[in-house]
Amino acid sequence: MRTTLALFLLALGSIVHAQDAPPPKHHVADPADASITISTARDPIRLTHGPMLGQPTATSMRVWARTSDPGQFEVHYGTAADNMDLVSEPGQTTIGHDNTGVVDLVGLSSDTRYHYQVWVNARPHGLPGSFRTLPSADQSRNETYNPDGLFNFRFQIGSCANQNPLHGGGHRATTYEHLGRDWADKVHFHVMNGDWLYEEQRRYPPDAWQLVQGASAKPRVAQIAPTIIGVWENYKLYLDRGESLSHWHRHVPSYFTFDDHELVNDIWGSAETGKRHRRTVFRDIGTQAWYDYLGWANPTEYHHPIHFGKATMRRDSDLLYDQNADFTKMPLSEMGNLHVHWGTPEAGVNDMEFDDDAGHKNSYVYDIVEVIDPHTLRLHMPAKIDDTNVSYSIGRRSYGKKRVGNCEFYFIDTRGDRQMHDVTERDKPGVSMLGRPQREWLLRSMRESDADFRFVISTVPFMIPHSGAGGFEADAANKEEAWTGFFDEREFLIAEWEKIGKRVFVMTGDLHNSFAIKVTDNVWEFCCGPHNSVNHVPVNDESDRPATGKFKFGPRECDIRWSSYILPDLPRLERLYPYFCVVQVNNVFNMPQKLGGKRLVAYPHPQVVFQYYDGRTGELAYAESISTER
């Protein structure tokens, strides 16, 4: 139990440095935070949130934890719950990442269940968990019948898990109850495809956070971008009250994408040069908090962190000067563009009341034209006003890939490099959701891969519009979340995928309905969700598409094989029909010469089975099986 506020205040003069062991590279401490000290008038360091699992392989697993103060934790683990005799290297939590950190368990055996427990201060903390490592090719190989060492595996995928009772299923999520009961021991990993988080606690006072932490100062990122604290608190709230959610993450490793609610609802145009809107320039603040709490679990093509800084800008000058930065050492060609932050306490709040012009007058999306010297950048346009203490950030690229057996997974970013759409010209040439670097990486990686199946993890729908459910711009009719605002890029991708000639499954979310869509013989879309959010009404929000059958919106007709569908006469809080999807990759069958043995035989035509389940009952609702070309 925490000490009283009075003791906190009395003890501010008596402070001690946090433990100084080097953190893992995934949660690197900012050197500027090294002088921050923590009050001695506090209870001993303890686990507050987690553990969570991510980055599964056949021989390793990543474990995330949050502690009450900056410090160390370790993981005890083993193949028996009563004999966790293996101990990880220490993990380090740092105040600049809200006391979160990770450790990697290495040297594990493939296709093996492990039990584990986080330890802090030489004692077990929190609830124990378990996980299963992925199978391996060596373990599965049979020179005659399975020379490539293929194996079967399953993963679960979904999106949209709002815990607010006014906008979703509330604090109790039946989807996660069914997942924990029926699937935690059967799936190898989970993909949370956006909107794990919905905006609450976004106005949490930074001074209150500092007091609770007993810290002598705020970390550098919170001094530059104080609204990140509200996002940190938002994550903690969801872990605190999402009991079945937390249970799931203790036992099943995950990959995550971020969609708009991890940042702020309906964030558009983050790469639209010259755009001014408070939601647009919240990108890097929300993304950094996502990496602290979820993004550590993902493969990323680039590991360059978001750069946060304070700078000088002069009216009518296109130069930005930061005496504490060295731009010559930043790999700017592998980073995002530059945002000057909105700067209001409500910058990350999902409320149209704050969509006004109250932000910093220099708050825009800027292209970086050139590096003048270590401390100076030339931007694409001049500043509007003088300011010697402007907060800004340079974004990071948040996409990557992962190979599992004969499947390649591409986790793409549909928000960070997104240009501004225009629903009056949906096929405007050159308008991009991905940005050229990401699109070229995606297509190059897909062409170079020899995988039988390619899963493109896109947070937003591919074939079905998401044009309703509100809108915040002055022209609210311009709302569009989906690829249907980017026809030129979408059709280009489909054409390139057709040239590859292998199965491409675009796994989508954001829309609060599920559907299975055949786009071409090779290209399919599977939208999976919502896990816990109020359903959308297709008549209003999805351009009146049918429940099943042929549908054409724009240049291409598609075939909706199945969908969840909500009739428009249902009141909002009666639209609570969650779904989740379990994907089973069938590459081999077991045909030993003696019963009970193991001899894996490869199918001539492996198949992927997409199974949709009702999140209220756990019952199977629909399944679609797709094999390699005959």
Side-chain angles (χ1 to χ4, degrees):
M1 182 175 180
R2 287 289 180 197
T3 57
T4 65
L5 177 60
L7 284 176
F8 272 140
L9 296 174
L10 287 172
L12 285 179
S14 178
I15 51 182
V16 64
H17 286 282
Q19 298 181 52
D20 58 358
K25 63 181 179 180
H26 317 290
H27 276 65
V28 177
D30 192 315
D33 297 337
S35 63
I36 295 177
T37 53
I38 305 300
S39 170
T40 56
R42 293 173 66 81
D43 294 334
I45 183 175
R46 70 187 193 283
L47 181 75
T48 65
H49 298 86
M52 293 195 287
L53 300 166
Q55 287 276 23
T57 74
T59 59
S60 65
M61 186 69 67
R62 185 166 295 167
V63 182
W64 173 96
R66 182 186 185 274
T67 55
S68 57
D69 297 327
Q72 291 187 341
F73 69 96
E74 60 188 19
V75 177
H76 292 221
Y77 61 103
T79 55
D82 59 354
N83 187 27
M84 301 182 203
D85 55 344
L86 301 172
V87 182
S88 72
E89 294 293 321
Q92 181 76 31
T93 67
T94 58
I95 195 165
H97 296 286
D98 198 26
N99 296 339
T100 64
V102 297
V103 298
D104 287 316
L105 310 184
V106 297
L108 307 179
S109 299
S110 62
D111 200 21
T112 300
R113 178 152 299 275
Y114 284 86
H115 301 264
Y116 74 101
Q117 174 93 57
V118 171
W119 282 55
V120 183
N121 272 337
R123 293 179 174 83
H125 278 238
L127 294 171
S130 68
F131 61 83
R132 180 162 53 137
T133 52
L134 290 174
S136 67
D138 288 342
Q139 181 193 49
S140 306
R141 184 174 288 111
N142 178 290
E143 293 299 334
T144 303
Y145 297 106
N146 186 22
D148 293 329
L150 297 179
F151 50 83
N152 300 336
F153 67 94
R154 291 191 189 100
F155 66 93
Q156 188 273 325
I157 184 167
S159 61
C160 307
N162 200 334
Q163 294 184 17
N164 190 328
L166 298 178
H167 303 287
H171 306 167
R172 178 191 174 190
T174 57
T175 291
Y176 286 101
E177 291 176 0
H178 290 297
L179 285 172
R181 184 193 68 196
D182 300 333
W183 293 102
D185 292 336
K186 297 178 182 177
V187 300
H188 290 86
F189 57 89
H190 159 61
V191 178
M192 184 61 192
N193 196 14
D195 293 343
W196 185 96
L197 194 71
Y198 284 70
E199 301 89 337
E200 300 183 59
Q201 299 284 76
R202 293 297 182 95
R203 300 168 83 176
Y204 195 91
D207 288 344
W209 178 91
Q210 182 182 346
L211 182 62
V212 170
Q213 296 304 129
S216 60
K218 300 179 186 70
R220 182 172 178 271
V221 67
Q223 295 174 30
I224 296 168
T227 47
I228 195 174
I229 285 173
V231 192
W232 286 340
E233 293 298 317
N234 197 171
Y235 279 105
K236 286 180 282 198
L237 176 68
Y238 267 48
L239 287 170
D240 283 337
R241 68 189 184 192
E243 182 177 347
S244 57
L245 174 74
S246 294
H247 176 273
W248 174 252
H249 288 306
R250 276 199 313 276
H251 293 275
V252 179
S254 296
Y255 298 103
F256 299 92
T257 55
F258 60 80
D259 198 41
D260 55 340
H261 290 288
E262 280 84 6
L263 311 182
V264 62
N265 184 38
D266 290 353
I267 182 172
W268 303 333
S270 292
E272 184 66 28
T273 302
K275 183 170 175 59
R276 174 176 171 82
H277 199 283
R278 80 168 173 96
R279 298 180 189 241
T280 300
V281 296
F282 198 74
R283 176 196 64 187
D284 296 337
I285 300 170
T287 302
Q288 181 59 56
W290 177 80
Y291 272 102
D292 295 335
Y293 275 84
L294 301 179
W296 53 268
N298 274 34
T300 51
E301 190 71 8
Y302 300 101
H303 299 282
H304 317 308
I306 298 169
H307 170 73
F308 290 92
K310 290 277 193 178
T312 294
M313 301 179 77
R314 297 298 184 189
R315 180 178 179 178
D316 297 329
S317 170
D318 59 4
L319 301 182
L320 178 144
Y321 175 79
D322 182 352
Q323 65 177 352
N324 296 313
D326 187 346
F327 297 118
T328 63
K329 294 183 178 178
M330 293 184 196
L332 296 176
S333 64
E334 297 178 352
M335 297 176 69
N337 54 12
L338 186 146
H339 288 182
V340 170
H341 299 166
W342 199 247
T344 65
E346 298 80 20
V349 176
N350 182 22
D351 190 332
M352 286 186 289
E353 174 187 354
F354 303 114
D355 291 326
D356 52 26
D357 198 40
H360 193 288
K361 297 307 178 185
N362 288 332
S363 182
Y364 288 87
V365 175
Y366 294 88
D367 281 346
I368 299 172
V369 176
E370 63 175 323
V371 177
I372 301 296
D373 59 44
H375 307 302
T376 310
L377 295 175
R378 186 182 305 281
L379 306 178
H380 83 280
M381 65 181 236
K384 304 298 182 182
I385 65 169
D386 291 341
D387 191 342
T388 60
N389 196 39
V390 64
S391 294
Y392 75 97
S393 55
I394 302 174
R396 67 175 296 175
R397 295 185 182 163
S398 299
Y399 50 85
K401 63 182 179 179
K402 177 71 176 179
R403 181 70 176 254
V404 182
N406 61 339
C407 299
E408 199 91 54
F409 293 82
Y410 303 91
F411 300 90
I412 63 175
D413 173 7
T414 65
R415 296 290 177 175
D417 292 314
R418 181 182 181 132
Q419 293 177 311
M420 192 62 200
H421 62 271
D422 182 353
V423 299
T424 68
E425 194 177 359
R426 293 174 180 268
D427 59 351
K428 183 177 180 180
V431 178
S432 178
M433 181 182 289
L434 300 179
R436 175 180 285 184
Q438 181 178 193
R439 185 177 64 239
E440 291 180 350
W441 163 83
L442 176 65
L443 290 174
R444 180 177 65 254
S445 299
M446 294 179 76
R447 294 185 192 111
E448 293 172 351
S449 174
D450 64 353
D452 289 323
F453 304 109
R454 293 157 169 80
F455 294 86
V456 178
I457 314 298
S458 162
T459 61
V460 295
F462 201 59
M463 300 302 296
I464 305 296
H466 183 185
S467 302
F472 64 86
E473 299 278 8
D475 177 15
N478 195 41
K479 177 179 172 72
E480 180 57 87
E481 304 299 310
W483 285 92
T484 46
F486 301 83
F487 282 145
D488 180 62
E489 185 170 56
R490 189 193 72 177
E491 293 302 302
F492 175 72
L493 289 174
I494 293 173
E496 292 300 307
W497 293 340
E498 283 293 294
K499 293 176 185 177
I500 294 173
K502 296 291 182 72
R503 304 301 193 218
V504 176
F505 306 125
V506 188
M507 311 299 295
T508 63
D510 189 58
L511 266 180
H512 298 176
N513 278 309
S514 287
F515 40 80
I517 296 178
K518 182 178 181 180
V519 182
T520 71
D521 287 342
N522 282 323
V523 180
W524 293 69
E525 177 183 3
F526 294 94
C527 189
C528 308
H531 272 182
N532 202 48
S533 299
V534 168
N535 299 82
H536 289 138
V537 179
V539 170
N540 300 326
D541 305 328
E542 302 170 23
S543 294
D544 200 19
R545 54 92 176 168
T548 59
K550 298 297 178 66
F551 176 69
K552 185 176 183 181
F553 187 89
R556 182 180 295 272
E557 185 177 70
C558 62
D559 181 5
I560 303 174
R561 311 276 282 210
W562 169 87
S563 74
S564 60
Y565 195 90
I566 305 299
L567 293 173
D569 61 351
L570 272 66
R572 178 177 179 82
L573 292 184
E574 296 299 322
R575 305 197 314 256
L576 297 174
Y577 293 91
Y579 284 88
F580 63 91
C581 184
V582 175
V583 182
Q584 182 165 319
V585 180
N586 289 330
N587 286 312
V588 296
F589 60 94
N590 191 27
M591 187 53 56
Q593 291 180 304
K594 183 177 177 59
L595 285 174
K598 178 180 178 181
R599 183 175 60 171
L600 300 183
V601 181
Y603 284 111
H605 301 284
Q607 67 268 181
V608 180
V609 185
F610 299 84
Q611 303 165 87
Y612 285 91
Y613 290 86
D614 186 315
R616 295 178 66 86
T617 67
E619 296 295 321
L620 179 68
Y622 179 77
E624 182 90 42
S625 177
I626 303 167
S627 68
T628 57
E629 187 175 3
R630 291 294 198 269

